[in-house]
């Protein structure tokens, strides 16, 4: 057992855990953050995507013992109280959520993209979500939601 | 997998001391994209591990610098770090391209360059490119350091020359001097059936309509990444016309068969490899596609 300290959704946390536990299990089992989903468990599907030091990573491939000092953000950090993040709202409005299993990971990949590149073109959006599989929507609605969010955030910042 | 121990050393010295401490179950972890996925799938290559040394926070193993015509890439540099680096994009475009095809953004944000060729899967995409660029790697242990060409370091699929008390610290890529043109080509996804996977890296320099220098390396078509020095020598000095380019492509196909020992997939792969090689040579020499 180790005593692990890191930053989770903006707050300093500490937890007793085995070092070899995967980040996804730590989030779901120790912190009850079940928005992060497990699909394939081997880095292929992106359902488990979280932000680690602002970059999208697969939480099924990161071990707890590698975290020391890292800052992790999960889907639960996006909404402010009852107010959804524009990405979340646009995903709903554009019909980009069907079964919803891919949605948290998809939104976090989009979030990391917009954080780095506020005006991505279609190719850049495709590349950013290429590691997130969706079996329901066919991606068009997802692309539209991300584009709409970028436009919305850019017009606000003018 | 849960009850392993993980240490995060801040210096190379600390890391080297850890792996020389006599624990046979100790291993190195960088991005973990092979190690964690492998342990999860019960791969026996990672079966005996009870302690992991995380090399992601060792300064000496990070960063990309260019000096004296050589680009030095820290072994623990991620693919995302490599792709976004200006020197690499400008001077080593084949490497930028190959790294950009690996996995997904999430994988590239974690996976490291040394992890790729130390793992040495037949489909390690940086290997053909690093071979075409004549890369050497630097390895350190408590006893000292050694530098050797990547081509010598790689032994067989999933096997390298790395000893258990050693860490790869950097990759040195000499900037190609001269007017090289070339490309990296990749067909097929990593987990797609092996038959459909092909990777080739190719650099060619033309002087006064002759082939001055030629470098060809393959990935997934051969058991491990392979440089074709024989073919390079055979065609250097020859007139760079379509007939010669066709002859090179045809020789490459023959060599691939020799190296792989005629596998059942060759029948399909052979014409494809030859066609791809010819197209790459053609657009390098004449510009544009064919
Ligand atoms: C979903 C998915 C898709 C992928 N797609 C591709 C692809 O398209 N193309 C491709 O080429 N690869 C692909 N890969 C594999 C690729 O991610 C790895 O080969 C990666 O480069 C390994 O780096 P890592 O830092 O994650 O290594 P790790 O998993 O941490 O380590 C891999 C091996 O290298 C050793 N090691 C790591 N660093 C050092 C060092 N500095 N010195 C000594 N030993 C070291 C480790 O001990 C281990 O044996 C994919 C993987 C996944 C999970
Ligand atoms: S569960 Fe992590 S990528 Fe599929
Ligand atoms: S909405 Fe069902 S997988 Fe994407």
């Amino acid at each position: 057992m180790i005593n692990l300290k890191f930053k989770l959704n903006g707050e300093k946390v500490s937890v007793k855990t085995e070092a070899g536990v995967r980040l996804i299990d730590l989030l779901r089992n120790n912190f009850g953050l079940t928005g992060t989903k497990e699909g394939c468990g081997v880095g292929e599907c992106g359902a488990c995507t979280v932000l680690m030091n602002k970059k999208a990573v697969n939480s099924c491939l990161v071990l707890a013992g590698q975290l020391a000092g890292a800052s992790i953000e999960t889907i639960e950090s996006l909404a402010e109280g009852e107010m959804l993040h524009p990405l979340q709202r646009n995903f709903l409005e554009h019909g980009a959520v069907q079964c919803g299993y891919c949605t948290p990971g998809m939104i976090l990949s989009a979030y990391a993209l917009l954080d780095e590149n506020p005006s991505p073109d279609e190719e850049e959006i495709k590349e950013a979500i290429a590691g997130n599989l969706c079996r329901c929507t066919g991606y068009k609605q997802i692309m539209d939601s991300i584009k709409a969010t970028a436009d919305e955030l850019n017009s606000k910042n003018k | 997998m849960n009850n392993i121990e993980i240490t995060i050393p801040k210096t190379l010295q600390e890391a080297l001391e850890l792996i020389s401490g006599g624990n046979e179950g100790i291993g190195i972890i960088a991005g973990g994209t092979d190690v964690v996925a492998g342990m999860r799938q019960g791969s026996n290559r990672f079966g005996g591990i009870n302690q992991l040394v995380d090399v992601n926070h060792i300064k000496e193993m990070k960063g990309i610098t260019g000096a004296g015509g050589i680009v030095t890439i820290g072994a623990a540099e991620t693919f995302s770090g490599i792709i976004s680096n200006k020197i690499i994009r400008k001077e080593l475009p084949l490497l930028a391209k190959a790294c950009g095809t690996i996995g997904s953004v999430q994988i590239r944000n974690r996976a490291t360059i040394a992890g790729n060729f130390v793992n040495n899967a037949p489909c390690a995409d940086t290997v053909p490119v690093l071979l075409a660029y004549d890369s050497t790697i630097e390895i350190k242990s408590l006893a000292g350091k050694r530098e050797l060409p990547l081509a010598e370091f790689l032994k067989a699929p999933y096997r390298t020359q790395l000893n258990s008390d050693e860490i790869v610290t950097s990759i040195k890529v000499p900037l190609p001097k001269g007017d090289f043109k070339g490309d990296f080509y990749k067909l097929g996804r990593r987990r797609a059936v092996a038959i459909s996977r092909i990777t080739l890296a190719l650099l060619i320099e033309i002087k006064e309509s002759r082939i001055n220098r030629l470098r060809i390396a393959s990935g997934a078509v051969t058991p491990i990444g392979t440089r074709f020095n024989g073919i390079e020598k055979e065609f250097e000095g020859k007139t760079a016309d379509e007939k010669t380019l066709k002859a090179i492509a045809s020789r490459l196909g023959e060599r691939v068969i020799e190296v792989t020992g005629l596998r059942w997939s060759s029948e399909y792969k052979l014409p494809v490899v030859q066609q791809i090689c010819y197209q790459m040579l053609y657009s390098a020499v004449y510009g544009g596609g064919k």
Side-chain angles (χ1 to χ4, degrees), chain A residues 18-22 38 41-44 49 52 55-58 60-63 65-66 68 109 127 131-132, chain B residues 1-4 6 8 29-31 33 36-37 40-41 52 54 56 104-110 189-191:
Chain A
E18 297 288 355
V21 166
R22 301 175 308 163
E38 172 155 12
V42 289
E44 301 269 353
T49 302
M52 181 170 179
K55 288 185 178 297
V57 304
N58 298 312
C60 68
L61 295 182
V62 177
L63 300 180
Q66 298 187 280
S109 285
E127 191 57 42
N132 294 85
Chain B
M1 158 167 150
N2 280 6
N3 41 19
I4 50 173
I6 300 180
I8 312 183
I29 186 168
T33 60
V36 179
R40 185 82 187 159
Q41 290 166 319
L52 286 169
D54 179 319
N56 292 301
S104 59
V105 172
Q106 291 95 318
I107 294 292
R108 296 194 291 272
N109 280 342
R110 293 290 293 165
R189 291 183 55 243
R190 184 179 68 127
R191 277 176 204 269

Side-chain angles (χ1 to χ4, degrees), chain A residues 92-114:
Chain A
L92 286 174
E93 282 171 9
H94 288 80
V97 182
Q98 285 183 30
C99 82
Y101 204 78
C102 70
T103 311
M106 195 70 84
I107 288 186
L108 285 170
S109 285
Y111 184 94
L113 168 70
L114 296 182

